[in-house]
Amino acid sequence: MRMVDIIEKKRDGKALTKEEIEFFVEGYTKGDIPDYQASSLAMAIYFQDMDDEERAALTMAMVNSGDVIDLSQINGVKVDKHSTGGVGDTTTLVLAPLVAAVGVPVAKMSGRGLGHTGGTIDKLESIEGFHVEISEEEFIKLVNDNQVAVIGQSGNLTPADKKLYALRDVTGTVNSIPLIASSIMSKKIAAGADAIVLDVKTGNGAFMKTIADAENLAHAMVSIGNNVGRNTMAIISDMSQPLGRAIGNALELKEAIDTLKGEGPEDLTELVLTLGSQMVVLAGKADSLEQARQLLLDAIKDGSALAKFKTFLENQGGNASVVDAPEKLPTATYHIDYKAKTSGVVAELIANEIGVASMMLGAGRQTKEDDIDLSVGIVLNKKVGDSVNKGDSLLTIHSNQENIDDVIAKLDESITIKDQATAPNLIHKIITE
Ligand code: URA
Ligand code: CA
């Protein structure tokens, strides 16, 4: 087989065979195929697309390019959730113990990553003593005993995707549905998922800016999942404003605790129930989304979700008393209100810009080496659609620096008050097949 023939075939709009796709992925991972040929093929895929069979073959070839986590010792259907990213997205922290409380095994492998706030692990590390450096045996035992555990990323997962994604980033080929969908799905499958729930975000704070694009991506991922034997469902949800009220590590942890107590923000609660219902159905713990939702509501109401969270923290060395005394979490020195300059209705809280403001406070990482400050962040006191009077606090800035002029200037660009505005729809679509 010759790479140049594969490039020409795709350039001319023909479908590649499974063998051709494997030849490319294996050769590129090993370094036998040079970047210039890989980028040429990526550009051909960008213009000519791939059919369902090609997408499934590309996904599995990338899965098989590295280690695959074996979760077969864990009883039950392992359902993983993936979000395409957003600002203040606290869903994993709530979902993991909540679905575990109704019997869904959650074996979460998580990274730290870059972004406006830290990742799930950073947020959990706001709790004194909590750690994710556990052996694979212990991880499996904890999930079998308590249905939920989190382990730090290890192993060499999907090296083909790492290499190809970095190449796409500098060759104008990131924005291709078959390439994005196979990239995301390969990582979930390599991490051991039997079934997958996807939260595809749309809006300015998201990768997919329009609902139509988000829907295309969601359908592409759902069909890849179903074609490779992993039942997959998706939702399209809003990310034009931050989710919930808290953006920051310890702040989001507290928000997660509130939500597990049934006292969380309305939007975060609704999103968690929607995604959680899909997870419960895919795990075979309920026959319908309605029945699943009721199980989850009951687990919040009777305290079993919160109890599950406490046991999870204790199992991994964490001081679970923070659940009843969140004031023990790291707290910033200064709490500064950002006030409305006029009266009216909040029309815009641009998610992306508010994320950048949190990053400027120190809540996130720009490079892998950066330290993050777990205590800082932003708490929204108003959301889009809320009425305000001049001088009302729109949000509270939790900072360890007294001078935050740059943060204020960033927030000035991200907030708009108008005479009229309505809250955006939180969930645009539910995709079950
Ligand atoms: N996120 C991914 O993981 N892969 C892509 O290709 C795009 C976004
Ligand atoms: Ca939040």
Side-chain angles (χ1 to χ4, degrees):
M1 232 180 269
R2 293 194 317 160
M3 186 60 194
V4 63
D5 299 326
I6 295 175
I7 295 169
E8 287 178 1
K9 191 173 175 188
K10 183 45 67 184
R11 179 200 66 195
D12 296 341
K14 300 197 182 86
L16 302 177
T17 65
K18 180 165 169 281
E19 290 71 28
E20 286 163 338
I21 290 169
E22 286 169 355
F23 174 84
F24 158 63
V25 172
E26 283 167 24
Y28 186 53
T29 310
K30 271 195 258 166
D32 295 346
I33 292 168
D35 280 347
Y36 52 82
Q37 286 188 310
S39 65
S40 180
L41 180 64
M43 189 59 87
I45 294 170
Y46 178 95
F47 281 113
Q48 297 289 5
D49 206 344
M50 287 180 126
D51 65 23
D52 284 348
E53 276 172 40
E54 291 176 285
R55 293 172 183 199
L58 178 59
T59 303
M60 291 315 292
M62 294 202 291
V63 169
N64 295 323
S65 71
D67 298 339
V68 179
I69 305 294
D70 179 8
L71 299 178
S72 59
Q73 297 306 309
I74 295 173
N75 312 318
V77 181
K78 277 72 70 184
V79 189
D80 203 355
K81 185 229 39 159
H82 177 78
S83 152
T84 61
V87 179
D89 190 348
T90 319
T91 52
T92 300
L93 290 175
V94 186
L95 271 173
L98 177 58
V99 302
V102 306
V104 179
V106 179
K108 189 91 194 152
M109 177 179 273
S110 206
R112 286 172 202 277
L114 308 178
H116 300 127
T117 65
T120 297
I121 293 184
D122 297 294
K123 293 173 192 174
L124 284 165
E125 282 177 353
S126 322
I127 293 171
E128 191 198 333
F130 184 88
H131 66 94
V132 295
E133 290 78 24
I134 53 179
S135 68
E136 236 175 276
E137 295 74 45
E138 195 179 353
F139 176 60
I140 286 170
K141 183 173 186 316
L142 289 178
V143 182
N144 279 332
D145 292 350
N146 190 49
Q147 286 70 52
V148 50
V150 177
I151 190 170
Q153 212 124 45
S154 67
N156 176 31
L157 301 193
T158 59
D161 173 65
K162 279 199 192 81
K163 206 170 167 188
L164 189 59
Y165 195 7
L167 182 76
R168 287 165 53 213
D169 207 23
V170 294
T171 56
T173 50
V174 167
N175 225 332
S176 151
I177 295 277
L179 295 178
I180 300 170
S182 56
S183 166
I184 293 173
M185 292 300 284
S186 68
K187 284 178 276 217
K188 290 284 122 181
I189 294 168
D194 298 324
I196 299 158
V197 169
L198 300 158
D199 180 9
V200 181
K201 307 285 194 185
T202 178
N204 68 70
F207 200 64
M208 292 284 139
K209 307 290 175 209
T210 68
I211 297 176
D213 284 347
E215 212 174 315
N216 274 337
L217 178 62
H219 277 294
M221 293 193 287
V222 169
S223 56
I224 288 174
N226 292 329
N227 284 332
V228 302
R230 268 74 170 183
N231 282 336
T232 303
M233 295 186 187
I235 70 164
I236 313 286
S237 72
D238 177 66
M239 196 28 88
S240 58
Q241 63 177 335
L243 182 67
R245 295 186 178 274
I247 304 120
N249 297 284
L251 293 169
E252 286 185 43
L253 193 90
K254 169 157 189 320
E255 180 168 74
I257 294 169
D258 291 343
T259 308
L260 287 166
K261 289 178 178 165
E263 297 160 4
E266 206 179 309
D267 59 347
L268 175 60
T269 302
E270 180 54 32
L271 188 64
V272 160
L273 290 171
T274 306
L275 291 166
S277 302
Q278 294 191 334
M279 293 175 79
V280 171
V281 167
L282 288 176
K285 300 290 175 186
D287 295 327
S288 66
L289 294 172
E290 295 71 30
Q291 191 193 356
R293 191 183 177 92
Q294 193 55 51
L295 291 173
L296 297 173
L297 285 167
D298 292 345
I300 293 175
K301 209 166 175 185
D302 67 18
S304 54
L306 196 66
K308 187 61 83 180
F309 189 53
K310 286 185 187 171
T311 311
F312 157 65
L313 296 178
E314 281 162 4
N315 283 347
Q316 299 196 220
N319 175 1
S321 71
V322 297
V323 170
D324 299 310
E327 65 278 5
K328 289 185 186 166
L329 289 167
T331 312
T333 311
Y334 303 100
H335 296 184
I336 303 157
D337 282 317
Y338 179 97
K339 295 186 176 138
K341 295 184 173 62
T342 55
S343 297
V345 180
V346 179
E348 269 187 327
L349 289 167
I350 304 176
N352 212 21
E353 303 288 324
I354 293 176
V356 172
S358 312
M359 177 95 127
M360 291 162 78
L361 289 163
R365 276 187 200 91
Q366 234 142 2
T367 72
K368 275 191 218 154
E369 287 71 39
D370 288 354
D371 279 331
I372 62 176
D373 184 339
L374 296 170
S375 68
V376 300
I378 289 171
V379 175
L380 303 176
N381 300 317
K382 301 285 177 187
K383 301 252 318 190
V384 172
D386 289 349
S387 299
V388 292
N389 290 313
K390 184 178 172 182
D392 283 354
S393 173
L394 292 176
L395 53 86
T396 307
I397 301 160
H398 292 238
S399 172
N400 283 324
Q401 308 143 237
E402 194 168 10
N403 182 341
I404 50 165
D405 292 350
D406 54 343
V407 176
I408 303 274
K410 180 45 85 182
L411 290 170
D412 286 341
E413 292 168 18
S414 47
I415 299 170
T416 317
I417 294 173
K418 290 189 178 159
D419 291 340
Q420 278 185 336
T422 49
N425 250 340
L426 175 66
I427 293 166
H428 295 294
K429 201 122 198 183
I430 294 178
I431 297 164
T432 54
E433 60 189 326

